[in-house]
Amino acid sequence: MTVPPHDYNGRVAFVTGAASGIGRATALAFARAGAQVALADLSAEGLAETARLIAADGAHQALTLTCDVTNEHDVQAAVGKTVEDFGRIDAVFNNAGIEQPVGPATGITKSDWDRIIGVSLTGAFLCMKAQIPHMVRQGGGAIVNVSSGAGVKGFKGQAAYAAAKHGVIGLTKSAALDYATDNVRINAVCPGIIETEMIRRFGDTRPGGHEGLIADEPIGRLGKPEEVASAVLWLCSDGGAFTTGTALVVDGGQTT
Ligand code: NAD
């Protein structure tokens, strides 16, 4: 599936969690739209594959940045290198995240809690802390943070994940107000159940398995990573110029 056309020529995009799933599809979509793209992830191998796919498309050569979004030094270095190599940072997708093993709230270990909140929520915070000053200096930019259907409603067995993803929306909305007059737009996207490695792992452990996941989607199928990428590219585009502080649900009706 391809993402509908946008023009990102002359712009620089930065994507975390770019080694897999939704992040890879969004990085590819930015590159196909003409952006120079910086790819950040823990997985050097996965990044190399995303960069290969971008090169195979004949797009600008991507910058690969091995980076743990929970580590402030890594994040500052990745964003700094992007601006050093490409001169600016216009469109950002802070997307890295990890799933929670299904289980009741009191069964969550402190270390799992810290990891899940650390990657999804603290990671988005650290990324924005590094990205926004460059955007303010250059006169603007657009950030999309990844939340989830679990950012707008509770899910049984998902207390830590839902807490992280609700937190991403609070962070997004508040920061959007802080930087609205700097022409820095900050939004969130809330995917439903999207066919990625994460969902394949999650479906293996969840009661009802993959059939149960499809049954949770009123539209009768799982979403595709490109369908989330499409929303991210629109939010970061000039077409989204009056949209800031929103949490856009892309979920086949799952949370309706
Ligand atoms: P995925 O597992 O396919 O990809 C996630 C990527 O994040 C991986 O490449 C992984 O290496 C990277 N990552 C994990 N921890 C990291 C860290 N500390 N630093 C840097 N990179 C790290 O997952 P996906 O399904 O593509 O999910 C992407 C995002 O979308 C996640 O935040 C997820 O919570 C969210 N989301 C996914 C779904 C879904 O159904 N797939 C639904 C709602 C929200």
Side-chain angles (χ1 to χ4, degrees), residues 145-163:
N145 296 318
V146 82
S147 177
S148 169
V152 297
K153 74 179 277 294
F155 280 87
K156 188 172 162 61
Q158 289 295 295
Y161 186 81

Side-chain angles (χ1 to χ4, degrees), residues 16-24 40-43 46-47 65-71 74 93-99 115 118-120 123 146-150 161 165 189-202 217 223 225 228 254:
T16 73
S20 179
I22 296 169
R24 173 176 284 163
D41 203 286
L42 275 180
S43 165
L47 286 177
L65 302 156
T66 309
C67 162
D68 179 348
V69 297
T70 68
N71 179 312
D74 276 15
F93 186 34
N94 292 323
N95 157 77
I98 53 173
E99 67 272 27
R115 231 166 34 86
V119 180
S120 278
V146 82
S147 177
S148 169
Y161 186 81
K165 295 302 190 182
V189 70
C190 304
I193 311 172
I194 311 298
E195 281 173 19
T196 67
E197 287 308 312
M198 176 182 288
I199 278 305
R200 282 186 268 280
R201 290 189 301 267
F202 181 73
E217 279 291 2
V228 181
Q254 185 197 21

Side-chain angles (χ1 to χ4, degrees), residues 10-13 79 82-90 134 138-140:
R11 300 201 190 176
V12 175
V79 172
T82 302
V83 174
E84 192 185 312
D85 280 24
F86 293 153
R88 50 192 297 114
I89 183 166
D90 299 295
H134 293 292
Q138 73 193 19

Side-chain angles (χ1 to χ4, degrees), residues 121-134:
L121 181 54
T122 311
F125 163 67
L126 291 176
C127 285
M128 287 203 298
K129 202 168 155 58
Q131 295 151 354
I132 290 171
H134 293 292

Side-chain angles (χ1 to χ4, degrees), residues 6-8 11 185 233-242:
H6 282 277
D7 184 4
Y8 276 90
R11 300 201 190 176
R185 296 185 298 104
L233 263 71
W234 179 76
L235 282 168
C236 290
S237 73
D238 294 343
F242 200 56

